[in-house]
Amino acid sequence: MGGIVPPASRRGRRPLVVVAFDGVQLLDVTGPVEVFTTAGRYGADYDVRVVSPSGAGVLTSSGLEIGVHGPPSGLPHRIGTLLVPGRSDWRSAVADTDLVELVARLALRAERVASVCAGAFVLAEAGLLDGRRAATHWELARQLAAAYPQVRVEADPVFVRDGHLITSAGVTAGIDLSLALVEEDWGADVARSVARQLVVFMARPGGQAQFSARLTPGRPRHAAVRRVMDHVTADPAADHTLGSLADTGGVSTRHLERLFRGEVGMTPGQYVESVRVEAAQWLLEAGTSTVEEVAQQAGFGSSESLRRVFQHTLGVSPTLYRARFRSTDGSRHIAAGT
């Protein structure tokens, strides 16, 4: 998209409105604002406005108070982009009728509507996500799906676009979303310049799965399923065939598959793989074994099998995963690249 002149509807200075409110996550607000204002240094022309329902400053989740540009009444009738950040206590956010009603009204005036992290709950409460695909923080995906069954929640993508509505994953994913919008509006060259200035990925490799805990199913009710799960997690590298797992549970293979689908939401084989992925992640983060050794210890047999599963499940190779999560010591990464 580099060098392409954006359409007039995007090039004008229609406000890009960020709705702040008490309890909002600070980075949900400041991350996107920093992207859009930095884009102005490279030729973009955003009129960024932070507003709150009352027009007063708000107390963020970190305890830091931030000011706003004013009340929503001071906005022009037409809005370019409406961005709704989130609050970890999303139930308090959706219970705030002034906030939800404000978002619903402003959405009618906006060319596009976006949310960051738990901001998707506010959009859903306002009825804006009915029948649409949506993303949120990986820890909240099941809660969003349960609270708003009419929303088609996707747990892994960093952000999801459905028509003029764009929803993103947790916290820093608001930066990914904002960079994508800058690219859409002003081209790849501008977005790339902003990414370089802020020292962030132009496009984050992989999805949310690489950050989430893989073993999220609740404790099952059936004793056979509990026995099998405990058996697998105790020794991920063992030869866990369907038949051996059924013997461990004391049920038939067919019944075990039915129980797992009903209580865990996956097949026994999928559960075994998820445990092995979790084990491999832990071993890679520890950084004391080679990738081949990790593959053997986690039950994948070979580094090639481990690589295929990681690419399919997490969107990254084992080597890249280890480099990304093993340490925050910058000197180690610099040395590895020399």
Side-chain angles (χ1 to χ4, degrees):
M1 293 179 65
I4 298 176
V5 177
S9 63
R10 293 285 187 246
R11 286 187 285 116
R13 283 183 58 78
R14 287 179 179 165
L16 188 152
V17 178
V18 181
V19 179
F21 50 92
D22 284 333
V24 71
Q25 292 196 141
L26 179 63
L27 194 56
D28 284 11
V29 176
T30 57
V33 167
E34 193 68 28
V35 169
F36 293 119
T37 54
T38 300
R41 297 165 56 179
Y42 300 99
D45 190 20
Y46 290 109
D47 177 15
V48 180
R49 312 267 192 102
V50 180
V51 302
S52 67
S54 68
V58 302
L59 187 65
T60 67
S61 59
S62 61
L64 182 66
E65 187 174 355
I66 59 173
V68 300
H69 291 104
S73 59
L75 295 172
H77 178 69
R78 295 301 300 166
I79 296 171
T81 301
L82 173 66
L83 191 145
V84 181
R87 174 178 178 168
S88 56
D89 179 12
W90 61 265
R91 291 178 180 83
S92 294
V94 301
D96 185 341
T97 56
D98 289 341
L99 171 63
V100 174
E101 290 173 3
L102 171 62
V103 168
R105 290 197 307 272
L106 293 180
L108 295 175
R109 297 155 52 184
E111 293 178 10
R112 64 187 175 196
V113 178
S115 68
V116 180
C117 196
F121 286 86
V122 178
L123 297 190
E125 182 67 20
L128 299 172
L129 296 181
D130 290 358
R132 294 184 181 272
R133 298 162 53 239
T136 189
H137 192 288
W138 62 267
E139 280 191 319
L140 301 177
R142 289 190 175 187
Q143 296 178 43
L144 180 62
Y148 302 95
Q150 65 274 40
V151 180
R152 302 201 302 273
V153 180
E154 298 189 9
D156 187 46
V158 174
F159 60 87
V160 168
R161 179 161 198 157
D162 191 329
H164 74 294
L165 285 151
I166 314 103
T167 50
S168 78
V171 196
T172 59
I175 295 175
D176 299 75
L177 167 65
S178 301
L179 284 170
L181 296 182
V182 169
E183 181 177 5
E184 177 182 313
D185 294 348
W186 298 96
D189 289 344
V190 174
R192 192 174 296 112
S193 296
V194 175
R196 286 172 177 162
Q197 177 64 32
L198 299 181
V199 198
V200 295
F201 286 115
M202 172 72 166
R204 185 195 304 252
Q208 291 195 82
Q210 60 187 302
F211 302 99
S212 63
R214 295 290 298 160
L215 305 182
T216 56
R219 190 70 174 165
R221 296 185 301 274
H222 201 286
V225 178
R226 293 198 299 271
R227 283 197 299 272
V228 170
M229 292 176 70
D230 291 341
H231 178 67
V232 172
T233 55
D235 187 7
D239 185 19
H240 297 302
T241 65
L242 180 60
S244 68
L245 294 178
D247 289 342
T248 297
V251 295
S252 68
T253 56
R254 183 173 297 181
H255 188 43
L256 183 66
E257 287 192 306
R258 284 198 299 266
L259 288 172
F260 259 77
R261 289 185 182 278
E263 296 205 18
V264 187
M266 60 181 77
T267 67
Q270 289 170 331
Y271 179 75
V272 170
E273 182 174 283
S274 74
V275 171
R276 287 174 173 169
V277 168
E278 184 92 348
Q281 286 177 289
W282 185 88
L283 290 166
L284 289 168
E285 290 165 13
T288 57
S289 304
T290 67
V291 172
E292 187 66 40
E293 289 169 341
V294 167
Q296 295 291 333
Q297 295 166 19
F300 288 99
S302 70
S303 58
E304 179 58 26
S305 296
L306 176 63
R307 187 194 65 79
R308 285 198 301 269
V309 173
F310 260 54
Q311 286 291 163
H312 175 72
T313 307
L314 305 181
V316 294
S317 69
T319 301
L320 183 57
Y321 181 91
R322 180 170 58 186
R324 190 174 298 160
F325 290 100
R326 181 175 59 184
S327 173
T328 57
D329 180 0
S331 62
R332 179 180 299 179
H333 299 300
I334 293 171
T338 57

